[in-house]
Amino acid sequence: MSHLIAPSLLSADFSNLRKDIEMVNDSEADWFHLDIMDGHFVPNISFGIPVVKSVKKYSKKTLDVHLMIANPEDYIERFVKVGADIITIHVEACKEKTAKILKEIKLLNIKAGLAINPDTDFKVIEKYINKIDVACLMGVFPGFGGQKIIDSTFRRCEGIRKIIAKNQVKCHLEVDGGVTAENANKLLESGADVLVAGSYVFRSNDPKKSISDLKNI
């Protein structure tokens, strides 16, 4: 199966969001990636439930909702209600509640994802590998777009791919942060099959072509 591209709307033009949504709809992208930040778990605030609802209204693609927030369990049902197809939580935010929250997501008949930050041991994924549809590896410390990918991401990606193979599960391996056409091939060779790209897409002169370049690597 070919890899999937998920443009991150964090880098879109919020004064003309519908235009950017329609651009992604008309592109070779597979998912919309929606970063929800609360200013607590990460040092930035992005957008919340009303924006996801608006994106759903115009989107023709899967909505991949990434909750970079404290206490995500308080909001999961509301994000599902406004159209999330996948909800990804952070092991660092959920700690010992992780398995319970993943189960709650699955009970709402959508896909569950688990994200880990660059300083979290990637082996923690194995504990939850039978409960998730997406393993999300952060290539940067979450909070701000436009960062350069951390070099250890490729090795960590290989490690998670081995965990997925060893457990014989159907699970996407998504890399989020610092993805460009220059490193995408190496990420795919390292085992990634979903690439999240924000700045690389939306800050380029031709966003649709940038998506196509990532898709056709």
Side-chain angles (χ1 to χ4, degrees):
M1 189 187 80
S2 72
H3 59 281
L4 307 178
I5 304 300
S8 170
L9 287 185
L10 185 65
S11 300
D13 178 1
F14 276 80
S15 66
N16 205 344
L17 191 55
R18 184 173 173 184
K19 178 173 163 280
D20 278 350
I21 292 167
E22 287 170 351
M23 180 277 294
V24 175
N25 280 339
D26 293 338
S27 77
E28 293 178 65
D30 303 278
W31 297 353
F32 282 93
H33 188 83
L34 300 164
D35 288 307
I36 314 300
M37 303 178 184
D38 63 356
H40 294 283
F41 177 62
V42 290
N44 195 10
I45 295 172
S46 60
F47 51 82
I49 291 158
V51 170
V52 176
K53 187 177 183 180
S54 297
V55 174
K56 184 66 176 182
K57 188 175 174 185
Y58 298 108
S59 162
K60 295 175 184 169
K61 316 258 183 183
T62 296
L63 292 198
D64 174 28
V65 176
H66 182 182
L67 299 184
M68 302 183 190
I69 63 175
N71 305 312
E73 65 274 22
D74 295 344
Y75 301 95
I76 286 162
E77 274 193 55
R78 287 160 73 187
F79 278 109
V80 172
K81 211 170 182 177
V82 295
D85 298 298
I86 305 162
I87 288 184
T88 296
I89 57 171
H90 270 262
V91 70
E92 301 87 358
C94 302
K95 300 189 172 85
E96 68 282 349
K97 298 182 290 184
T98 300
K100 181 172 178 282
I101 298 170
L102 289 169
K103 188 179 177 185
E104 285 170 15
I105 295 170
K106 299 283 273 188
L107 285 171
L108 293 166
N109 293 317
I110 66 160
K111 291 183 173 175
L114 185 63
I116 57 167
N117 284 342
D119 56 352
T120 296
D121 186 345
F122 71 83
K123 294 187 183 79
V124 73
I125 288 286
E126 185 149 25
K127 186 177 175 185
Y128 305 103
I129 200 68
N130 292 304
K131 297 177 171 66
I132 59 175
D133 305 285
V134 180
C136 177
L137 178 65
M138 295 303 298
V140 300
F141 283 93
F144 298 92
Q147 299 182 65
K148 186 178 181 293
I149 198 165
I150 295 168
D151 287 338
S152 61
T153 305
F154 305 100
R155 176 182 53 78
R156 288 160 60 77
C157 202
E158 288 171 0
I160 296 175
R161 177 50 66 192
K162 284 176 184 166
I163 289 169
I164 292 169
K166 179 182 148 193
N167 288 275
Q168 299 180 325
V169 289
K170 283 177 85 172
C171 178
H172 285 296
L173 174 46
E174 177 178 78
V175 175
D176 180 4
V179 173
T180 67
E182 283 68 51
N183 58 36
N185 197 46
K186 193 176 176 186
L187 287 169
L188 297 174
E189 286 174 351
S190 301
D193 62 6
V194 181
L195 301 178
V196 175
S199 306
Y200 176 75
V201 168
F202 290 103
R203 291 179 194 168
S204 73
N205 293 327
D206 188 344
K208 204 185 282 191
K209 182 183 181 298
S210 296
I211 292 169
S212 181
D213 291 345
L214 289 172
K215 185 69 178 174
N216 293 293
I217 280 170

